[in-house]
Amino acid sequence: MKEGELETIEAHSSICQHLKRVASTRVQILSGLDHTFLFSDGRLRTEKKNGGLELTVTSHLLSQSAESDFLEARLNYHYLYHGTYHFFSARTKKRNGSLSIDMPVVINRVRRRKAIRVRPEGMVKIRFRCIHPVLGKKIVFPVRD
């Protein structure tokens, strides 16, 4: 990320409005705990309860798992909304194939790069190898910056 690319949503009312819009557009939510990938098909739901907004993420893959990875944990949530990458961390409880989420204090968002990525001439070609957290297979790609 370059300077000025990372923005934050901090006001409680702004976060509520943003999450309601995300839930209404059926954006796919990804979640991970440290290096353990939990699911890749999560959908955010919002519901008014006791004057507040209750947040849950439902997942077909999560409901299929008979074993409980955790009962309560702090998870990171990621999603792409209108071409901008968003992420936040929140305390979460697991219940019957859904994750109950505490309202996040801050949601970070990263805008698309304005600069085009280029590979400088004369440099040794470098390749990066890793295991993709969603697909679970090895991927290789060139380092461009």
Side-chain angles (χ1 to χ4, degrees), residues 48-102:
K48 280 195 171 181
K49 263 198 178 171
N50 303 326
L53 194 69
E54 184 174 275
L55 301 172
T56 55
V57 170
T58 57
S59 167
H60 177 64
L61 291 178
L62 195 65
S63 60
Q64 285 180 331
S65 173
E67 299 141 6
S68 179
D69 297 319
F70 65 90
L71 293 178
E72 186 174 326
R74 188 157 200 90
L75 300 187
N76 298 312
Y77 293 90
H78 313 260
Y79 52 97
L80 196 63
Y81 182 63
H82 290 314
T84 305
Y85 173 67
H86 296 74
F87 57 96
F88 65 85
S89 179
R91 193 168 62 90
T92 305
K93 290 181 183 172
K94 184 177 175 183
R95 289 184 299 190
N96 303 324
S98 67
L99 301 173
S100 174
I101 309 169
D102 280 0

Side-chain angles (χ1 to χ4, degrees), residues 99-142:
L99 301 173
S100 174
I101 309 169
D102 280 0
M103 180 67 68
V105 177
V106 172
I107 295 178
N108 297 289
R109 56 187 176 189
V110 182
R111 289 179 279 132
R112 288 175 182 251
R113 284 175 169 246
K114 290 181 182 176
I116 298 170
R117 292 186 169 189
V118 295
R119 181 182 293 152
E121 289 182 26
M123 283 187 66
V124 178
K125 290 183 180 178
I126 299 171
R127 288 182 132 9
F128 183 82
R129 258 183 267 188
C130 67
I131 295 190
H132 196 286
V134 180
L135 305 175
K137 63 180 185 180
K138 288 181 185 176
I139 57 170
V140 179
F141 57 90

Side-chain angles (χ1 to χ4, degrees), residues 18-36:
H18 172 75
L19 292 174
K20 281 181 187 175
R21 284 195 298 268
V22 170
S24 69
T25 53
R26 306 284 294 155
V27 167
Q28 187 179 50
I29 305 287
L30 309 179
S31 177
L33 170 65
D34 294 333
H35 296 295
T36 306

